[in-house]
């Protein structure tokens, strides 16, 4: 089967749950907006009107993987890993598309299911627009909310230049110098509480479109970003892009990750996989452990897995655009009971369309209900 990357599309807002995009007011409020939806298949390089962090409709987000990688067999459950994050609870930001829908439709017959099975769970907040003047305040609005509750927010910086290799989610900073400065401003909003950073989805797994020199420059900026984020807040846990179990072979992905600084404890706490995708949790656990082993970094490095829509696994026919028969996966938690697996997260918000059940990145209550009720 041909595996495609998770896609972060650009449609006018960030995707992958809720997005904290600049509303042009320069305020310190984190204001979520419509987000793009993930894509599983490569799309033509069509520029999008606005970069958004979530996979998008069928043709765009991440580039299609030309090579097929064997899906690792499920692994046995191992003793629970003890990590500093294990005793921390995840933060649910009070603004998102699904929460807006729940508040606006109390009488809808789908309300109870969508509220209890999706809206009540913590999800990631994406920052996909390049707005250096306001990014610090908007990040701080989210992290301070988490700190006030003693919970860890999950935040997604998504502004690397040439993201999505020119697909629907293209955009980001104009160059790596500007990106480095944006990351400095992003880090200034991290505060001092627990926070989990999903650093630039697709930036490593989907780097084949770059020249060798451009790839090396990107990886240097990612390594720097990890160092800056962790130096700004020692409690920040920073995870690097490992694609997913149906994309690059573990050894290849680990080699790329090492070049990007993911094996260094000064930059990284480990890897993330399956963002905006559908691969089963057991397959991701096996794959992530293979990547971590090949990465050969400190024993403290772990992995987090996006379980938002993987309850039934990936469609056998490779369909990626709001495929039928999918369901939400394991609820977000930092207590996985699995060695080296630091958390199951909802990085892509269930119900945000890939483009077939609605405009890419917009919330579709019918799709959300199908995922939650199945």
């Amino acid at each position: 089967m041909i595996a495609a990357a998770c896609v972060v599309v650009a449609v006018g807002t960030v995707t992958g749950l809720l997005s904290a995009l600049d509303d042009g007011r320069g305020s310190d409020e984190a204001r979520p907006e419509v987000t793009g939806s993930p894509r599983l298949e490569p799309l033509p390089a069509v520029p999008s009107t606005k970069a958004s962090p979530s996979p998008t409709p069928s043709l765009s987000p991440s580039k299609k993987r030309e090579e097929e990688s064997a899906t690792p067999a499920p692994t046995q459950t191992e003793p629970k890993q003890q990590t500093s994050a294990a005793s921390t609870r995840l933060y649910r930001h009070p603004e998102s598309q699904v929460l807006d829908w729940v508040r606006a439709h109390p009488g809808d017959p789908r309300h109870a299911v969508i509220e209890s099975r999706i809206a009540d769970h913590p999800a990631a907040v994406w920052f996909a627009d390049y707005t250096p003047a306001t990014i610090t305040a908007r990040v701080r609005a989210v992290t301070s909310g988490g700190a006030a509750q003693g919970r860890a927010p999950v935040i997604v910086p998504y502004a690397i230049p040439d993201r999505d290799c020119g697909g629907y989610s293209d955009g980001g900073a104009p160059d790596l110098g500007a990106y480095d400065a944006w990351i400095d401003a992003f880090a200034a909003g991290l505060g001092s509480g627990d926070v989990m950073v999903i650093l630039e989805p697709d930036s490593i797994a989907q780097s084949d479109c770059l020249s060798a020199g451009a790839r090396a420059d990107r990886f240097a900026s990612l390594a720097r970003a990890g160092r800056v984020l962790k130096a700004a807040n020692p409690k920040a846990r920073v995870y690097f892009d490992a694609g997913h179990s149906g994309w690059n072979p573990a050894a290849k992905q680990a080699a790329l990750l090492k070049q990007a600084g993911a094996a260094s404890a000064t930059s990284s706490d480990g890897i993330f996989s399956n963002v905006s995708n559908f691969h089963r949790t057991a397959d991701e656990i096996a794959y992530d452990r293979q990547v971590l082993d090949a990465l050969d970094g400190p024993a403290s490095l772990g992995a987090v897995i996006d379980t938002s829509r993987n309850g039934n696994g990936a469609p056998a026919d490779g369909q990626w655009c709001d495929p039928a028969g999918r369901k939400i996966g394991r609820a977000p938690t930092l207590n996985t009971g699995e060695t080296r697996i630091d958390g199951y997260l909802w990085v892509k918000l269930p119900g945000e369309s890939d483009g077939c059940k609605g405009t890419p990145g917009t919330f579709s209550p019918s799709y959300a209900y199908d995922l939650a009720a199945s």
Side-chain angles (χ1 to χ4, degrees):
M1 94 185 190
I2 295 181
C6 69
V7 208
V8 182
V9 302
V11 288
T13 18
V14 230
T15 90
L17 296 160
L18 44 117
S19 52
L21 290 181
D22 185 18
D23 59 6
R25 298 177 301 168
S27 77
D28 60 358
E29 293 181 64
R31 183 180 182 81
E33 310 210 349
V34 178
T35 68
S37 163
R39 309 193 147 204
L40 298 183
E41 289 210 11
L43 297 180
V46 177
S48 77
T49 55
K50 187 166 183 175
S52 130
S54 162
T56 65
S58 81
L59 299 169
S60 71
S62 351
K63 298 292 175 200
K64 184 197 293 189
R65 295 303 31 158
E66 306 265 279
E67 51 196 340
E68 179 178 332
S69 66
T71 302
T75 59
Q76 289 186 318
T77 299
E78 301 181 26
K80 179 177 178 179
Q81 177 189 19
Q82 297 302 315
T83 69
S84 61
S87 61
T88 303
R89 300 186 67 186
L90 292 166
Y91 171 64
R92 189 197 69 163
H93 191 56
E95 298 297 331
S96 70
Q97 291 190 86
V98 64
L99 285 169
D100 287 346
W101 184 87
V102 165
R103 292 163 184 152
H105 300 84
D108 191 290
R110 300 165 295 187
H111 180 278
V113 168
I114 292 175
E115 180 179 40
S116 64
R117 299 185 187 177
I118 296 178
D120 282 350
H121 292 292
V125 180
W126 291 70
F127 296 86
D129 57 333
Y130 177 69
T131 51
T134 59
I135 189 63
T136 300
R138 290 184 292 121
V139 172
R140 183 180 295 123
V142 176
T143 58
S144 62
Q149 294 183 16
R151 299 190 175 202
V154 177
I155 57 178
V156 186
Y158 187 64
I160 198 80
D162 299 315
R163 68 184 183 201
D164 196 31
C165 292
Y168 282 147
S169 295
D170 70 345
D175 55 52
L176 288 174
Y179 177 74
D180 291 347
W182 184 83
I183 281 291
D184 291 345
F186 188 101
L190 289 180
S192 58
D194 291 313
V195 58
M196 305 184 78
V197 183
I198 305 302
L199 181 61
E200 299 292 343
D202 287 356
S203 61
I204 298 174
Q206 186 188 7
S207 60
D208 289 349
C209 64
L210 302 176
S211 67
R215 188 180 308 116
D217 290 343
R218 171 185 283 190
F219 288 174
S221 276
L222 289 172
R224 177 190 183 276
R227 293 192 300 271
V228 168
L229 294 166
K230 290 182 68 61
N233 178 358
K235 288 188 176 180
R237 298 180 64 81
V238 180
Y239 295 88
F240 283 66
D241 170 38
H244 57 67
S245 60
W247 200 343
N248 291 325
K252 176 180 177 179
Q253 190 62 34
L256 296 172
L257 283 157
K258 183 167 288 191
Q259 294 173 48
S264 170
T266 61
S267 295
S268 167
D269 290 281
I271 61 175
F272 64 82
S273 72
N274 209 42
V275 168
S276 299
N277 223 292
F278 305 88
H279 295 274
R280 291 186 183 278
T281 301
D283 294 336
E284 293 305 300
I285 290 173
Y287 176 73
D288 289 347
R289 287 176 178 157
Q290 291 174 4
V291 172
L292 289 169
D293 286 345
L295 191 57
D296 195 27
S300 60
L301 298 185
V304 293
I305 298 167
D306 187 353
T307 59
S308 62
R309 306 188 300 177
N310 73 345
N312 279 343
D317 61 0
Q319 173 59 250
W320 57 267
C321 186
D322 302 329
R326 302 312 98 198
K327 64 184 290 187
I328 54 177
R330 301 189 188 190
T333 181
L334 299 181
N335 294 286
T336 68
E338 292 284 349
T339 307
R340 306 201 81 182
I341 306 301
D342 294 348
Y344 301 136
L345 307 177
W346 283 9
V347 184
K348 165 71 175 179
L349 184 65
E352 289 187 356
S353 176
D354 297 329
C356 292
K357 293 184 180 296
T359 302
T362 57
F363 181 74
S364 166
S366 61
Y367 181 34
Y369 182 80
D370 288 345
L371 288 167
S374 59

